[in-house]
Amino acid sequence: MVGLQQVFKSFGMALVGTMHPRMLWLSLRPFLIVSVLWGCLIWLTWTPALEALSVFLTTSIFTSWIQEGLVWAGFDNARAWIAPLFFVMLIIPLITISLLVFIAFSTVPAIVKIASRQSQFHDLECRHGGGFFGSLIYSLWSAIICLALVMLTLPVWWVPPLVAVLPPLLWGWLTMRLMSYDVLAKHASSEERDLLLDKYRWPLLIMGIASGMLGAVPTFFWATSALALVLFPIVSFIALWIYSLIFVFAALWFSYFLLDALKSLREEELDRALTVESRVVDLELSSHS
């Protein structure tokens, strides 16, 4: 597979780089900001949201069967915890997507700047194929698509095998899109970015899914543990920092991989240009002779 060796090489470099104090700080900053924003929002909406959700679950023909089925199965107190559980299940994807978009938009440029200081990237020219508004629109559009897919597949997240499969795929797809665009925004032209994303589509998707699998660990715990529901504020606080650290690691992984791929692409273009030029010179010399 094209780029497989670079995938493992950049993975090792990112793993070491994530342990640097600067990277740990870059994971704490978005985590703290998103935690404060979502903490205030949940605190303000928790009671009315639970009341509205409880009414919806009880009266809607699409969801009333869930409570009836739980009561029939012997869970007599299902009505007490089904609404909070649904609320947590709805809020997890929103928190995760918002954190990933925030990191891609605000933190990835700093991570790319750090990665580009490596000696092998010192001579890499910046061609600015992406800008502030391009990144904002691309991030928001990708997040909307991912959120729509989450809402469509959320009912089957309750099925034990799928809760370990769907989140990694969704987070992986979104991670691949956001990281690929923002990592190349400064150094690559739009044409180079399109070429790299087409050439390394599958390695990038593998990297995204691998990052999504790491990010699915806290999701799996939230979705399957009653303790996570009881200790939701504490568990969500810890899990959110894990998400943030994983996304920073993914940004560093994509940075090393794509910057190396961009360097190789330009070296190949230079070799082709020199080859064509030498052939033209040879033809001119032969014609004169």
Side-chain angles (χ1 to χ4, degrees):
M1 180 180 292
V2 177
L4 190 59
Q5 183 178 357
Q6 294 95 316
V7 168
F8 288 109
K9 177 183 176 182
S10 55
F11 176 86
M13 295 174 65
L15 194 62
V16 174
T18 306
M19 297 300 104
H20 193 277
R22 179 71 185 278
M23 289 298 166
L24 295 176
W25 163 243
L26 288 175
S27 70
L28 281 173
R29 185 177 62 181
F31 152 70
L32 293 173
I33 294 174
V34 173
S35 295
V36 170
L37 293 177
W38 274 105
C40 294
L41 184 61
I42 292 173
W43 182 75
L44 292 172
T45 61
W46 179 265
T47 300
L50 288 186
E51 293 176 354
L53 192 58
S54 180
V55 172
F56 174 77
L57 292 172
T58 304
T59 58
S60 174
I61 60 174
F62 299 103
T63 56
S64 59
W65 61 270
I66 297 177
Q67 291 193 40
E68 295 173 359
L70 289 172
V71 172
W72 177 83
F75 298 96
D76 297 329
N77 60 342
R79 290 184 175 86
W81 53 263
I82 191 68
L85 184 60
F86 259 88
F87 184 78
V88 171
M89 288 288 292
L90 289 172
I91 209 73
I92 290 172
L94 295 176
I95 295 175
T96 306
I97 292 174
S98 64
L99 177 63
L100 179 53
V101 171
F102 186 80
I103 288 176
F105 189 67
S106 65
T107 308
V108 169
I111 294 175
V112 174
K113 184 177 180 180
I114 293 173
S116 63
R117 291 174 182 170
Q118 296 288 324
S119 58
Q120 65 266 35
F121 304 133
H122 278 172
D123 298 330
L124 201 59
E125 178 187 358
C126 296
R127 297 183 180 177
H128 302 284
F132 176 85
F133 291 105
S135 177
L136 178 61
I137 294 173
Y138 192 85
S139 299
L140 293 178
W141 177 242
S142 301
I144 290 172
I145 295 175
C146 185
L147 184 60
L149 293 174
V150 167
M151 293 298 105
L152 289 173
T153 59
L154 191 60
V156 297
W157 281 30
W158 293 80
V159 181
L162 295 179
V163 75
V165 174
L166 290 177
L169 292 177
L170 293 173
W171 304 154
W173 177 83
L174 184 60
T175 301
M176 179 194 71
R177 283 179 62 87
L178 297 184
M179 297 302 176
S180 298
Y181 184 94
D182 289 323
V183 164
L184 294 172
K186 180 180 179 181
H187 290 84
S189 64
S190 57
E191 294 79 9
E192 289 174 329
R193 182 178 64 244
D194 293 339
L195 285 173
L196 290 174
L197 296 184
D198 181 67
K199 181 178 181 180
Y200 297 104
R201 181 186 299 111
W202 291 110
L204 290 172
L205 184 59
I206 290 173
M207 292 166 60
I209 292 176
S211 302
M213 291 178 66
L214 294 174
V217 174
T219 300
F220 181 78
F221 178 70
W222 281 14
T224 58
S225 175
L227 182 63
L229 181 61
V230 176
L231 303 176
F232 175 69
I234 299 174
V235 172
S236 61
F237 196 74
I238 297 173
L240 195 60
W241 179 73
I242 296 175
Y243 278 131
S244 183
L245 185 62
I246 290 171
F247 291 150
V248 166
F249 161 77
L252 196 58
W253 190 7
F254 276 80
S255 296
Y256 284 131
F257 178 85
L258 286 171
L259 290 178
D260 187 60
L262 178 61
K263 180 182 177 182
S264 299
L265 177 66
R266 290 181 180 175
E267 289 175 350
E268 292 173 2
E269 291 177 348
L270 180 60
D271 290 340
R272 284 197 297 269
L274 292 175
T275 301
V276 171
E277 185 177 350
S278 64
R279 289 179 179 176
V280 171
V281 171
D282 291 339
L283 290 173
E284 291 178 351
L285 290 175
S286 61
S287 63
H288 287 303
S289 61

